[in-house]
Amino acid sequence: MSGVEVLEGPGDEPRDPRGVRRRRLLVGALALLLLVGLAVAAVDARRRDSETARVAACGEEARAATQRSDTVLSAMVDYLRPALAAIPESSGRDSFYALVAGEAARVRPGLQRALEECRAVEVWSWHDDLREQRAAYVAHLAAQLGFTGDVAADGRVLYADDPERAERLAELRERAFGSRE
């Protein structure tokens, strides 16, 4: 037996070509799955970055429109307070309320543009934090737009005591912008 080369050991069974092929297919499928997973992760990361930038832009637009609205309406309250205090409620206040309504009508387009911009931002459903932030901006802008619409229709609304509405607007603002506003 000196010239005989033994390729298989005494307990080794011959390799089944079908088993080898199955292993190769399994390894190939796993490699393909890994590549697809990496590609999906890369696409998701790029999309998330894009969504983050668009939600941030929406937030800045919402903040600017809200601040403009608040500034104008607060200025009208402060400006007209002495005049309204001097005139009895039963006479002559309509022209003052018409001024307030006109100013509210002027700030509404900015709120409307911000609302449309935020509604146009699309966020993938599994990006929960971005979707929730976008929804907070939309809810706040819609409520602010509704309020200014009511004031634009009748300036008296700005001077009416409506604690529920004020609380709801404050909650929506807090959700959208945090405690900084």
Side-chain angles (χ1 to χ4, degrees):
M1 291 201 129
S2 62
V4 177
E5 183 178 331
V6 177
L7 296 176
E8 296 179 9
D12 290 343
E13 295 181 24
R15 289 190 177 184
D16 181 11
R18 289 182 292 178
V20 171
R21 193 174 325 150
R22 283 187 194 137
R23 270 190 236 116
R24 285 182 184 163
L25 284 173
L26 180 62
V27 168
L30 289 174
L32 182 61
L33 186 60
L34 178 63
L35 287 174
V36 168
L38 290 172
V40 167
V43 167
D44 183 62
R46 269 190 303 235
R47 173 67 186 237
R48 183 173 184 71
D49 290 345
S50 173
E51 289 174 356
T52 300
R54 288 194 317 264
V55 169
C58 151
E60 289 305 312
E61 185 72 24
R63 185 182 316 278
T66 297
Q67 286 176 342
R68 170 127 171 78
S69 172
D70 289 346
T71 300
V72 167
L73 295 180
S74 295
M76 290 307 293
V77 167
D78 291 343
Y79 180 69
L80 294 178
R81 181 178 292 130
L84 289 173
I87 299 173
E89 231 179 283
S90 61
S91 65
R93 288 186 168 189
D94 289 344
S95 61
F96 292 110
Y97 294 130
L99 284 172
V100 171
E103 290 303 311
R106 280 190 261 295
V107 298
R108 289 194 81 234
L111 290 166
Q112 184 65 46
R113 275 191 305 277
L115 179 59
E116 289 168 4
E117 180 180 331
C118 288
R119 282 185 174 153
V121 173
E122 292 182 20
V123 178
W124 279 349
S125 61
W126 57 88
H127 295 160
D128 292 336
D129 57 330
L130 296 175
R131 194 172 28 83
E132 289 172 8
Q133 188 60 57
R134 178 198 160 273
Y137 293 141
V138 167
H140 169 69
L141 287 167
Q144 188 79 13
L145 189 62
F147 175 66
T148 57
D150 291 348
V151 174
D154 182 0
R156 289 174 185 81
V157 170
L158 187 59
Y159 296 91
D161 187 28
D162 189 348
E164 286 180 27
R165 178 180 246 172
E167 185 177 321
R168 179 72 179 141
L169 279 170
E171 287 171 5
L172 291 170
R173 181 177 309 225
E174 172 73 23
R175 208 173 109 216
F177 305 117
S179 60
R180 296 184 307 170
E181 295 295 310

